[in-house]
Each structure stands twice: as structure tokens, then as C-alpha cells.
Amino acid sequence: MSQFFIKGGLPLEGEVKIQGAKNAVLPILAGALLNQGKSIIHNVPELRDVNTMISILESIGCKIKKEGKTLIVDSSSIHTNEVPEKLVREMRSSIILLGAILATHKQAKFSYPGGCDIGLRPIDLHLKSLRELGAEVKESHGYIYCKSSILKGCQIQLDYPSVGATENIMLAASLAQGLTIIRNAAKEPEICDLQNFINKMGGQVKGAGTNTVIINGVSKLQDVEYKIMPDRIAAGTFATAAVISGGKLTLKDVNIEHISSVVSKLQEGGSKIARYNNSLTIESPKVLKAVETIRTLPYPGFPTDMQAQMMALMTIAQGTSIITETIFENRFKHASQLIRMGANIKVDGRVAVIKGVEKLYGAHVSAMDLRGGAALTLAGLAAEGETIVDNIYHVDRGYEYFEKSLQELGASIIRIE
Ligand code: EPZ
């Protein structure tokens, strides 16, 4: 299993271009099934999760060509609607394909994606919504069997503003008969990117970014060319890396509005921010102050995908921070690893109390999930001495050439295979 080997204490300086958004490209790749034709998708990040999604699409018959950061997807000759179990297990968010396969191939067989490192991650809202659209959904022996002669638009009230369920409904409903209204829809920017992609194919979706998304089903969708939005979590991660290392970074190709909740917390800690059109400069403060309360919430609240990185930062802030993780039930696994590095953290259920310490010390730690792995890497940048982070395949799922970008910014970090 590959590792990062980090020598801490070097401030990051310079500029970093933010990658395309992982959580936008995955549902958009599912959307590439809808036109049963050609989709040219630009600004695709080089990630394990993207490669997994490409393998899934190829396994059902899509032809995919990669030209740098552009993917050319031909979904005209799908030969099966059964997604291989091994690939579904590798990436639970592959459930996002269900709506698109149903909409175009009328039936689908999926192994139950099951939980992952950060929680149970049920899919009840996905399945309930597809049933309301007229699909017959059966779950047995660890498999989900779906079929639908025709999907009919309807009103769907989501019990929770689930990002994936909102996306699955948008994908299924875009080729359904009639109007679908999603109430209590997720408002994340990735939902807007998916809406723009579907509309560019000739779809009729509106309301993304609000809690009500309206989809008017059409009979056919066209070939499309589209550019993926910047990754707001990668942007937040690099901004936090600048602060934890005591440095100064300029983030290029970033949508500042998408990270306003993260920027405001970093400013609360004393960081200096300068905003330009689509770039942002962040400078760490002389004295990092603790941010008293951080509560993860659906967008535009503080993102759960930045919780681990913020916890790492707060371990060396002056004062006490309280982090409440309201989205996932098991997303504090990085706390035990930060404690190995000298952090003072108490976890009680969904609440973590972090008492800032003078400094962290390098240690041998293990990544347990994607964002926790990024957080431990950031902690290693700040720690005195050497840190080894194990299982960095987690980090490769969501960050493009992470250690290379950090090296170019002045960090002493290498990958050990
Ligand atoms: C998406 O996951 C993101 N992944 C996650 O990013 C992100 O943390 C999450 O949204 C929240 O913003 C992708 O977009 C690929 P949810 P998703 O459905 O769609 C519960 C990362 O690090 N729920 O909004 O799975 C669920 O258990 C990843 O990049 C149900 O109860 O998130 C959770 O508590 C991690 N039933 C809450 O809703 C359902 O049917 C939020 O889940 C679906 C969800």
C-alpha cells in the first residue's frame, strides 16, 4: 500500500490551479448515458474515482477515449444494464448510474452498494424516488433489480436534501413523461453543474441551487460538449494547507462563492484573504486563533467534506474549537490519528472538542477515508519531524497528483509505493 513521507515545517508558497470537481464529473458521467450518443467532457480530474466510473461505463458497453483532461464518451451501444459488483463496491456513489440506466434501458441490476468508511450511507431515498417515478424496484440477496417500461414525472418530497438522490432523480426524470418536481432538493453547486449539462444536451431542468428542482421530461437528448466546474473541496483543502503550513497561496480557477463558508471560517481563525475574479489568495496569520464552532450542514453551510481538514487545522490553533458533524455518523476517524501526532481531541458521538496545542509531532498514521487522508497529510505539513501517512489510495480517489502539487508549492513530501 503506498504511503506519503512528509517532512514538516515548510510553509507553502505559490500558485495552484484547482482541479475539476470530482463530485460534479461523477454524476455528469452518469448523465452521458442519457443521449445514447457522444459527450465530450472537459476539465476531468485524474482521480481513482473517475477511473472507476470509466471502468463501469465501459463494462456496460460505453466507448471512452481520454485526451488529456478531456473524456469522449460514446454511449450509443450499451450491451448490458448489469453493473459489476466489484466496481459498485469500489465506489458506492456508482448508485448515481441507476437513474440514467433506467431512463434509457428500462432495467438495471446493481449490487447493493453498502456503507463505506464514513457511515452506513443508505440509498432508501434514491429507491423511494425511483419507485415514485414508476420504476419497479426489488432488493434481494444483496442485489437491486429495477425495471420500468416508462417513467412518469411526479412530485417528490425528499425527507433529506440528499445530493445523490437529487441527482439520480434529475437523471431519471430528464427522459420521463411529463413534469417532475423535487422538493427539499440538495442545493450543492454540483447539482447546478448537472442541470447545466443536462440542459446542454437539450434537457429541460430548472431550479438547481434552490430546494425545488423542476424537470420537464423530453423524448431525446443530443450529443454534448461540456466543461466541469472547479472542485470546491480541493480548493478548500489547498486553502487550509496554506494556513496550516504558515504559508501563502493563490488558488487559480476557483469559484469563490462555492467556498465562502470555508473562507469565512479561515478568516475567523485570522487568515488574510484577497479575492479576484476566479482566483483567491490566502495568507496564514501570525497567530492562528481557534474557530469556536464548526457545524457541517448541507450547502451553503460548512461542507462535511472539509470537516477533517478543518479539524487538522484547529489542532494547532490558540483556544478550543467544537466541531459538530451533522451529515455522516462516522466521520471522525482521523481524530485518533491526529491524537497520535500530539493533538488534544475529545470525540463524543457527532461532536469533537479540539484544544489547540503548541505543535504537532510527526508520526506514522493511517488514512481511513478520502478527506481524513487529506487532513493527515495537511497535519504532516505542519508537524515537527517526519510523518508517514499509510493507505493513501484513499487520497488518490479525490485529489489529482496531490503530493506533486504540494511539492511544487514547497512541501517536502514524497510517495513511497
Ligand atoms: C455526496 O455524497 C458526495 N459524494 C459526498 O462527498 C458528500 O459528502 C455528500 O454528498 C454530502 O455533501 C458525491 O457527490 C460523489 P447524501 P452522497 O446523499 O450523495 C443520508 C467526498 O468526500 N442519506 O447527500 O452520498 C446519508 O446517509 C464525498 O467527496 C440517506 O439517509 O450524500 C447521509 O447521512 C464523501 N438516504 C446524508 O443523507 C439516502 O437515500 C447525506 O448524504 C441518501 C442519503
Side-chain angles (χ1 to χ4, degrees), residues 22-23 121-125 162-164 305 327 331 371:
K22 167 178 90 76
N23 293 347
R121 303 191 72 182
I123 55 169
D124 54 313
L125 301 178
S162 154
V163 173
D305 295 348
I327 312 286
R331 203 169 195 176
R371 306 302 175 182

Side-chain angles (χ1 to χ4, degrees), residues 22-23 26 92-93 118 120-126 160-165 167 188 232 304-305 327-329 331 370-371:
K22 167 178 90 76
N23 293 347
L26 293 176
R92 63 165 308 289
S93 49
I118 58 178
L120 275 175
R121 303 191 72 182
I123 55 169
D124 54 313
L125 301 178
H126 295 247
Y160 181 89
S162 154
V163 173
E167 293 165 343
E188 272 68 5
R232 61 192 170 99
T304 175
D305 295 348
I327 312 286
F328 290 107
E329 69 272 22
R331 203 169 195 176
L370 162 56
R371 306 302 175 182

Side-chain angles (χ1 to χ4, degrees), residues 219-261:
S219 53
K220 176 107 182 68
L221 290 165
Q222 314 308 319
D223 291 358
V224 67
E225 184 159 5
Y226 193 76
K227 181 182 176 194
I228 300 295
M229 66 178 242
D231 192 313
R232 61 192 170 99
I233 304 303
T237 304
F238 278 102
T240 309
V243 182
I244 203 169
S245 66
K248 178 178 179 180
L249 283 187
T250 295
L251 312 181
K252 310 290 280 179
D253 194 12
V254 58
N255 182 318
I256 296 171
E257 191 202 333
H258 290 170
I259 57 170
S260 57
S261 61

Side-chain angles (χ1 to χ4, degrees), residues 33-36 78 99-107 151 175:
L33 296 177
L34 294 173
N35 62 9
Q36 299 187 67
I78 306 271
I101 295 178
L102 263 184
T104 50
H105 292 80
K106 309 302 173 205
Q107 57 181 348
L151 293 173
L175 289 173

Side-chain angles (χ1 to χ4, degrees), residues 24-36 39 41 53 57 60 62 73 75 78 93-101 104 167-168 171 194 197-198 201:
V25 70
L26 293 176
I28 283 172
L29 283 171
L33 296 177
L34 294 173
N35 62 9
Q36 299 187 67
S39 302
I41 306 169
M53 186 59 110
L57 292 176
I60 60 175
C62 285
V73 183
S75 61
I78 306 271
S93 49
S94 52
I95 194 69
I96 198 68
L97 282 157
L98 198 47
I101 295 178
T104 50
E167 293 165 343
N168 237 334
L171 292 163
L194 180 61
F197 176 77
I198 294 171
M201 285 198 283

